[in-house]
């Protein structure tokens, strides 16, 4: 697959995340004006609200949907509207477009744009669908890589906090909580000492389902509007003390960072592939109609405060997952849970089979036993204050790539709190 050409500056650069076949959706503002919806193309943002107001683009009939500071109203329109708008935008932005002169005034240089959280997060569920990650965690924490008995049969997940999902560039404050020090018999209170990142993909639900009504995997695939990079920050020592018997709570409730652009499912469709085999046939309701994973390269860099450059600490691929996002969504709804526009599904940490592909510091430092030495000389077992973690990802085509932009956060010191 080769990329069609666009007249927009930078869109034909093989290194851009945002060529014409991508057209990811986001929310932006310029010079403090009202946030509205846009599409990234090359080194620019196309103002969808302005196109709507000028009568160049109509997504929802007579009702505008792009003047809002979130994409939920557009997502609710469903797959037919998504396809219609994508086709129209492709025509408007293609090289030789007849309406170029009408569209050009509504193209904004990316460096002028402030990016915002692109959708209202209705609910957040984090899954645990990376086999290598699950086995590594078992080895680190329990001394055995054995998977839980249910892991091979269903996408394990837990409900997280939608209220602390933030857009890339938002600083993350080190959380406070209870931990149980080694050999102690009672917990202590204070900042986490084992702050970690988790490399994930997030699926954004575009259309919902009714309470009490299951959906098939094929129906679930059609419900997914697009994908974001996702960093599910984790406090490992807080988690170790609190998670039994009900699972993660405060250790993962303090922040989840997503990239600012939602890459449409249609843009990633040409890069579908199979995931990691489980060796167990799924129950019928989880059978996929075809390959539903994606061949997306994923990287994580870490830059300490004041360091001259960042160090790549992880490189892996989204095809290392063993359950796809449509399977996760179908499983989520099978018991009757109502899914909503704006629900966010985290894939679970994505790790590869080798050390350089491990998607968390817990794995990269093997529980703190083997600290990493960064290219700038610092060592890290877990994250320290001032560290900046950046996730990037892309699917590779013939002379182009479909990227997400950066998913980045910098660690701030814990709040000054005493009782």
């Amino acid at each position: 697959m080769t990329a069609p050409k666009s007249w927009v500056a930078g869109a034909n650069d093989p290194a851009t995340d945002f060529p014409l076949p991508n057209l990811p959706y986001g929310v932006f503002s310029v010079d403090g004006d009202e946030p509205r919806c846009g599409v990234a193309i090359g080194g620019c943002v196309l103002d969808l609200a302005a196109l709507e107001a000028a009568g160049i683009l109509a997504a929802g009939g007579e009702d505008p949907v792009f003047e809002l500071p979130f994409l939920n109203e557009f997502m609710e329109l469903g797959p037919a509207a998504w396809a219609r708008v994508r086709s129209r935008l492709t025509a408007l932005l293609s090289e030789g477009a007849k309406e170029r002169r009408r569209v050009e005034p509504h193209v904004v240089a990316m460096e002028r744009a402030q990016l915002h959280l692109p959708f209202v997060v209705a609910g957040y569920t984090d899954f645990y669908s990376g086999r290598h990650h699950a086995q590594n965690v078992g080895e680190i924490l329990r001394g055995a890589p054995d998977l839980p008995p249910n892991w091979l049969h269903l996408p394990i997940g837990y409900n997280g906090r939608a209220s602390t999902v933030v857009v890339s560039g938002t600083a993350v404050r080190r959380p406070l909580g209870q931990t149980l020090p080694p050999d102690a018999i009672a917990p202590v209170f204070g900042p986490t000492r084992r702050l970690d990142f988790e490399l994930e993909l997030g699926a954004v639900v575009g259309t919902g389902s009714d309470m009490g009504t299951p959906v098939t995997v094929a129906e679930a695939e059609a419900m997914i509007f697009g994908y974001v990079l996702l960093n599910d920050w984790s406090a490992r020592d807080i988690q170790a003390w609190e998670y039994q018997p009900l699972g993660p709570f405060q250790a993962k409730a303090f922040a989840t960072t997503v990239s600012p652009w939602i890459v449409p499912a249609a843009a990633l469709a040409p890069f579908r592939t199979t995931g990691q085999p489980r060796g167990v046939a799924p129950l019928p309701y989880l059978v996929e109609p075809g390959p539903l994973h994606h061949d997306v390269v994923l990287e994580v860099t870490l830059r300490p405060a004041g360091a001259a450059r960042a160090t790549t600490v992880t490189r892996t691929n989204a095809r290392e997952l063993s359950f796809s996002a449509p399977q996760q969504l179908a499983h989520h709804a099978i018991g009757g849970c109502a899914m909503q526009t704006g629900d966010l599904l985290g894939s679970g940490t994505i790790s590869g089979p080798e050390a350089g592909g491990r998607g968390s510091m817990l794995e990269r430092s093997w529980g703190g036993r083997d600290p990493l030495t960064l290219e700038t000389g610092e060592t890290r077992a877990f994250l320290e204050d001032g560290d900046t973690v950046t996730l990037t990802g892309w699917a590779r085509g013939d002379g182009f790539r479909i990227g997400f932009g950066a998913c980045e956060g910098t660690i701030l010191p814990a709040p000054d709190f005493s009782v």
Side-chain angles (χ1 to χ4, degrees):
M1 176 185 176
T2 57
K5 300 297 184 182
S6 172
W7 54 263
V8 179
N12 304 321
D13 184 343
T16 185
D17 274 348
F18 310 125
L20 189 58
N22 193 348
L23 300 182
Y25 292 92
V27 170
F28 78 105
S29 60
V30 177
D31 298 331
D33 58 9
E34 291 298 316
R36 66 273 194 189
C37 300
V39 155
I41 175 72
C44 302
V45 181
L46 177 63
D47 189 335
L48 298 182
L51 290 189
E52 216 172 33
I56 301 171
L57 182 67
E62 297 181 358
D63 299 322
V65 295
F66 292 127
E67 66 180 9
L68 302 168
F70 46 78
L71 284 157
N72 298 55
E73 295 290 325
F74 173 54
M75 294 193 294
E76 282 183 351
L77 297 178
W82 309 341
R84 185 172 62 250
V85 169
R86 181 172 173 81
S87 177
R88 175 67 169 151
L89 291 174
T90 300
L92 292 172
L93 297 170
S94 291
E95 196 172 63
K98 294 180 180 179
E99 297 178 86
R100 173 176 174 175
R101 289 183 179 275
R102 296 182 67 198
V103 175
E104 273 187 304
H106 308 302
V107 174
V108 178
M110 186 72 75
E111 58 265 23
R112 294 186 58 210
Q114 180 182 354
L115 303 180
H116 305 270
L117 190 66
F119 64 107
V120 176
V121 184
Y124 169 49
T125 304
D126 191 40
F127 286 90
Y128 191 56
S129 293
R131 183 171 194 146
H132 298 299
H133 172 70
Q135 290 176 319
N136 287 339
V137 170
E139 180 72 29
I140 293 167
L141 299 184
R142 299 186 298 275
D146 298 337
L147 295 165
N150 60 351
W151 192 94
L152 295 172
H153 299 275
L154 60 87
I156 298 173
Y158 73 96
N159 286 308
R161 291 290 301 174
S163 61
T164 44
V165 176
V166 296
V167 72
S168 175
T170 305
V172 173
R173 191 166 290 281
R174 181 178 296 273
L176 300 168
Q178 289 191 26
T179 61
L180 186 68
D183 301 323
I185 60 173
V188 298
F189 174 79
T192 178
R193 295 177 181 273
R194 293 192 154 208
L195 186 56
D196 202 353
F197 66 82
E198 288 191 348
L199 170 61
E200 305 191 26
L201 275 185
V204 180
V205 176
T207 56
S209 62
D210 294 329
M211 182 177 175
T213 304
V215 300
T216 67
V217 174
E219 289 169 335
E221 183 190 16
M223 292 166 62
I224 295 173
F225 176 69
Y227 294 84
V228 293
L229 297 176
L230 187 150
N231 184 348
D232 193 36
W233 306 90
S234 299
R236 300 298 186 186
D237 45 0
I238 295 174
Q239 181 179 354
W241 169 239
E242 73 175 6
Y243 84 107
Q244 296 186 23
L246 297 181
F249 186 47
Q250 296 292 72
K252 289 176 173 285
F254 60 97
T256 299
T257 302
V258 297
S259 51
W261 299 106
I262 306 175
V263 174
L268 289 178
F271 305 96
R272 290 193 189 104
T273 188
T274 54
Q276 281 293 306
R278 298 187 302 280
V280 174
L283 292 174
Y285 80 95
L286 286 174
V287 172
E288 295 173 295
L292 295 180
H293 290 75
H294 296 99
D295 182 3
V296 175
V297 176
L298 299 166
E299 287 189 349
V300 182
T301 65
L302 195 162
R303 180 174 58 82
R309 62 185 182 278
T311 298
T312 299
V313 295
T314 298
R315 185 170 190 180
T316 186
N317 194 293
R319 62 173 175 252
E320 298 292 350
L321 293 166
S322 291
F323 286 99
S324 66
Q327 285 178 308
Q328 292 170 341
L329 179 51
H331 179 68
H332 207 322
I334 198 67
C337 175
M339 305 306 296
Q340 296 179 293
T341 296
D343 277 343
L344 176 64
L345 308 181
S347 63
T349 303
I350 305 172
S351 294
E354 306 298 332
R358 295 170 183 165
S360 66
M361 288 299 293
L362 177 69
E363 298 167 85
R364 289 296 278 121
S365 70
W366 209 250
R369 185 194 69 188
D370 304 320
L372 300 180
T373 298
L374 306 181
E375 293 176 1
T376 45
E378 301 88 346
T379 59
R380 289 291 185 274
F382 292 93
L383 301 177
E384 297 187 8
D385 294 346
D387 286 351
T388 297
V389 177
T390 306
L391 279 55
T392 53
W394 62 89
R396 178 71 69 183
D398 183 6
F400 72 98
R401 69 187 211 171
I402 302 295
F404 295 80
C407 177
E408 184 173 282
T410 299
I411 305 302
L412 298 180
D416 184 10
F417 180 82
S418 59
V419 291

